[in-house]
Structure formats: C-alpha cells, structure tokens
Amino acid sequence: MSVAVVVEAPGAFRLVPHEPTPPGAAEALVRVHAVGICGSDREVYQGNRPEGYVRYPLTPGHEWSGTVEAVGPGAPESLVGRKVVGEGFRNCQVCDRCHAGETTLCTAGYEETGFTRSGAMAATLTLPARLLHVLPDGADLTAAALLEPAACVAAAALKADARPGERVAVVGAGTLGMLAVQFLAANSPAELLTVDIRPERAALAKQFGTTDFRTPDQELPGGFDVVIETAGSADSARTAASLLRRGGRLVLTGLPASGAAGLDPTGLVVRQLDVRTVFGAPPAAWAHAVRVFGAGLLDPLPLVTHELPLDQFPYGIELVGSGGPEVGKVLLLPQGLS
C-alpha cells in the first residue's frame, strides 16, 4: 500500500494511505523517486518555521526527483515518462515580480510545495506542469533529488557573479556549501577557500575543488572578491563579511535562528560591500542548475549519506538535526529501498 507522511501539527506526524491525485488542467502527476530532508523540514516538524511559511496539516517534501506518469488537459503529453525535478514556489505568474522572473518575490503571497501545499513525502506528487524541469534520460534520480538546494545555490552563484581568476570563498560545508564549492570551482577561480567548523569536511571540499580549507578558529585570510555564506549559524554572516576585500560581493543563503549576530552596517558602508540574499530559487536559477547537472559539472551524489524508507521519517529528522560528521544529505525513498 502506498503511504504519505502527514505532519498534523508541530511534533505530531502519521503515515496515511496515499492515493494519487489525478492531474487537472495543465498539471502533471509525478511518481516520486527520492525526497530530501533539510533543515526547513525539521523546522516544519518542530514547529519553528516562521509564521506564514507553513500550513498544517501538511505532507512535507520540497527537494525531490521523479518520473512523470500522467498529465492533465493542456499539459504536454511529451512529459509522460520523462525524468523531472520541479520548482517549489507556486507563483501567480501575473504580478510585476513574476513578470520580471523573480517568482520567489511573488506579490500574491507565499505558497510553496512542501510547506503550504502538499509535498513529495508520498508515492506521488501532483503539481503544475509549468514548474517541471526535464532531465536527461540517463540522469541519476537519486543525485537529482539534490537539485532543489542546487538551484538555491545557483541563484547565489548568479547573484555573486564570480568571474574567472577571482578569489572566492564559501562559509559552511553542509549540502549547500558543498554545492556552492562545485559551482564556484567550475568558474576557474584563482583561489577557493572553504570555512567550516568541521575539519572532517575538508577532504570532500577539496574533492569538489576547494584549494584551502580552514576552521573559524584558525587564522582566516582576507581580500576575497566573492563569498557565499551557507552555514546559517549565529556568526557565519560576520565571518563571511570579514573575508571580503573592500567592494567585495557577499551572498547570504543561510537562515540562522532569531537573535543571530548581525552585520555591522558601518562596516558594510565604509567597506562598500555588495550584500545580497537568496530565499528559494527563481526559474533562471533552476534552469542553470539543471544545465550544469546535465553537463556533468555538478555531482551531488557524494553528499548523500543516508537513504531511508518513508516510514523512517522521524529518524531522518533526527539525523538531520544531529550535526554528526557522518551525516550529509538524508533521502527518503517513497518507492522503497532498491
């Protein structure tokens, strides 16, 4: 019997029988291959997701990959049988922000798969076909389940506008950080520094292209042109800013808990730092991530450390929150383990 995870309220979940929702007009029905668990899923389960950014009861799951099984009227029949990933933001398509391609800033309000709409922690997912990105036929769907965080990192990389020969750095060596290293390494930097509190992450960071790995308690060099911050810890934004040269470019992607140490506005002004932020990924970033993945320049698979059946959702949440050195990306497999 097919099942789905439903978080009824903070701290309360159950497995329920799952029946596919037939695709309506312009929709697609996707059989989910794998769905990732990230920190925001843990927020949903624990009840500390910001107000307005979750709606209970809810089937979580915004990082996923799968295969199109059916389409509704008005959706391309050519999608059936194709491997896909999909955008999460359910934008209105008609406001000025949507017309500008900034769908994560849709003025109609926040709606996202896995947070306010049913997500992929189920055997199937039905969503607007316009949100799908088709993968190469030979794509590894387990690796492709990480293309949602990769799209967020692609958004950061596009905003950072790192150029060949520049000195670049990443603060944080979790899933987002390791994906950021790969995006920046593909752009031929003169130097690529990764900073993380876990020295055991150094080997993988260097496998992905890091030229120097340091922990925050070590002496950190400065003068970098670009820094992407992914850690979301209390002081990671300050650490990231300290690495930059005057006029450098900082992109923040991490979401620290309330009350984290902020950036010094005086320092930002006198150093003329260009500070940008990323929350989710617009279509251009998704397309960029899928292209880089299809070209073989992005390899998320080494980041996957755990593949679990759907009924081990609470254990997966526990793993993600453990912070253990052996825990990378945790995936749930709705169709069962192979």
Side-chain angles (χ1 to χ4, degrees):
M1 178 183 69
S2 295
V3 297
V5 171
V6 174
V7 178
E8 298 282 3
F13 95 99
R14 61 192 178 102
L15 292 174
V16 302
H18 173 77
E19 289 291 337
T21 301
E27 290 186 329
L29 170 67
V30 177
R31 181 155 295 279
V32 178
H33 171 79
V35 54
I37 301 177
C38 84
S40 54
D41 297 306
R42 191 164 176 264
E43 290 175 353
V44 167
Y45 184 59
Q46 293 184 328
N48 49 20
R49 179 97 172 146
E51 185 178 357
Y53 288 86
V54 64
R55 189 180 301 136
Y56 301 100
L58 173 71
T59 293
H62 62 287
E63 304 178 0
W64 58 269
S65 63
T67 304
V68 177
E69 283 206 339
V71 296
E77 288 284 347
S78 59
L79 286 172
V80 176
R82 298 304 303 272
K83 296 178 178 180
V84 294
V85 291
E87 298 176 32
F89 282 80
R90 305 293 187 92
N91 56 297
C92 76
Q93 302 183 79
V94 296
C95 71
D96 59 343
R97 293 298 88 204
C98 286
H99 280 304
E102 298 173 338
T103 54
T104 60
L105 298 175
C106 177
T107 60
Y110 172 77
E111 295 285 348
E112 187 177 3
T113 299
F115 297 106
T116 63
R117 303 287 186 94
S118 290
M121 292 187 186
T124 67
L125 173 66
T126 301
L127 74 168
R130 63 182 173 82
L131 298 177
L132 298 179
H133 289 261
V134 176
L135 303 173
D137 290 338
D140 184 325
L141 282 176
T142 301
L146 277 72
L147 283 178
E148 192 279 339
C152 295
V153 170
L158 291 171
K159 287 189 175 185
D161 190 25
R163 298 145 201 169
E166 288 191 315
R167 299 179 68 230
V168 300
V170 174
V171 175
T175 297
L176 287 177
M178 291 299 195
L179 292 169
V181 167
Q182 293 189 56
F183 273 100
L184 292 174
N187 216 34
S188 302
E191 181 181 350
L192 175 46
L193 168 71
T194 300
V195 179
D196 194 87
I197 61 174
R198 299 161 292 183
E200 62 273 7
R201 302 293 283 175
L204 189 56
K206 290 179 179 178
Q207 175 185 325
F208 287 148
T210 286
T211 59
D212 187 12
F213 184 99
R214 304 197 187 194
T215 56
D217 56 353
Q218 294 178 300
E219 182 179 355
L220 298 178
F224 285 86
D225 300 289
V226 168
V227 179
I228 295 179
E229 182 276 329
T230 68
S233 67
D235 56 2
S236 56
R238 284 182 178 269
T239 298
S242 72
L243 298 173
L244 286 164
R245 63 167 174 82
R246 294 191 69 202
R249 307 187 294 284
L250 172 62
V251 183
L252 304 175
T253 72
L255 282 173
S258 298
L263 295 171
D264 177 10
T266 301
L268 297 181
V269 173
V270 299
R271 295 175 64 204
Q272 300 181 63
L273 299 183
D274 182 354
V275 181
R276 300 190 176 192
T277 61
V278 167
F279 179 69
W286 270 96
H288 185 53
V290 170
R291 280 195 302 269
V292 172
F293 177 70
L297 298 174
L298 180 67
D299 182 15
L301 198 58
L303 300 176
V304 177
T305 58
H306 294 76
E307 298 178 37
L308 308 173
L310 205 57
D311 61 5
Q312 290 196 33
F313 166 74
Y315 175 55
I317 290 289
E318 180 183 330
L319 282 172
V320 169
S322 71
E326 76 287 351
V327 179
K329 174 53 65 175
V330 177
L331 298 180
L332 298 178
L333 304 181
Q335 310 305 326
L337 301 177
S338 58

